[in-house]
Amino acid sequence: MATQDWQLKSIFDHFVCDVCGKENTPDWLLDEVYRTQRIRRLNDLLRRGQADQATILLTAGVQAAGDDFATSAVKAMSEFDDFSEDNDPHHEHDFGAFEIGQEKLFFKIDYFDPALERHSDDAADPNVTHRVLTIMLASEY
């Protein structure tokens, strides 16, 4: 309950109507709003360093700027909250742009399968998704 990571113990493949007694099969609908909120929550946890099955990459340009710059970049990325329709049209908090001094940086989160061989089948499911967060100089994009 603390992590709000809920899972069904079982899935009902059929049911009986309480009114007419007729057996039927449920029509499962994908709740896109819930799915988007879950992806956003998982991405926010990753940006704050609280994610399983995740990797954070710093590009060569960020690394070449030195340890202090890299540390500042990670801190700025984790504190970023300026999401809008312009930079977050899908409301997943998977991209952001920020500045450190005169340098503009981006972060981007991509979703892969656990073996990092292809895209994830479902970015909302942390059991089948390995998130990769990349922090880069804007000039490296």
Side-chain angles (χ1 to χ4, degrees):
M1 284 178 61
T3 64
Q4 297 181 6
D5 189 16
W6 298 84
Q7 294 181 357
L8 294 173
K9 281 192 161 188
S10 64
I11 296 176
F12 301 100
D13 293 327
H14 68 280
F15 64 94
V16 176
C17 176
D18 290 338
V19 176
C20 67
K22 181 179 175 185
E23 285 195 33
N24 205 336
T25 302
D27 184 15
W28 294 100
L29 301 175
L30 180 62
D31 184 346
E32 285 297 327
V33 172
Y34 169 78
R35 190 173 180 284
T36 298
Q37 290 172 345
R38 184 174 173 113
I39 291 170
R40 181 174 54 239
R41 182 176 61 85
L42 292 166
N43 288 344
D44 287 343
L45 287 171
L46 169 56
R47 289 187 315 102
R48 291 178 177 89
Q50 303 172 18
D52 296 325
Q53 293 198 70
T55 302
I56 297 177
L57 300 174
L58 304 178
T59 60
V62 174
Q63 292 179 34
D67 290 343
D68 289 342
F69 184 83
T71 300
S72 295
V74 171
K75 183 176 187 295
M77 177 273 308
S78 69
E79 294 172 350
F80 182 86
D81 67 353
D82 189 22
F83 295 102
S84 67
E85 284 296 319
D86 291 334
N87 66 12
D88 190 30
H90 302 290
H91 309 287
E92 295 179 355
H93 292 186
D94 62 350
F95 177 85
F98 56 95
E99 293 181 3
I100 298 177
Q102 300 298 315
E103 195 70 58
K104 186 166 186 166
L105 293 95
F106 297 143
F107 72 84
K108 173 73 176 105
I109 300 173
D110 294 296
Y111 316 110
F112 294 95
D113 74 315
L116 298 172
E117 296 175 344
R118 58 184 171 78
H119 288 285
S120 172
D121 291 331
D122 183 4
D125 184 350
N127 297 314
V128 299
T129 303
H130 185 103
R131 285 173 159 67
V132 177
L133 187 155
T134 304
I135 301 173
M136 68 193 86
L137 301 177
S139 61
E140 295 177 298
Y141 187 68

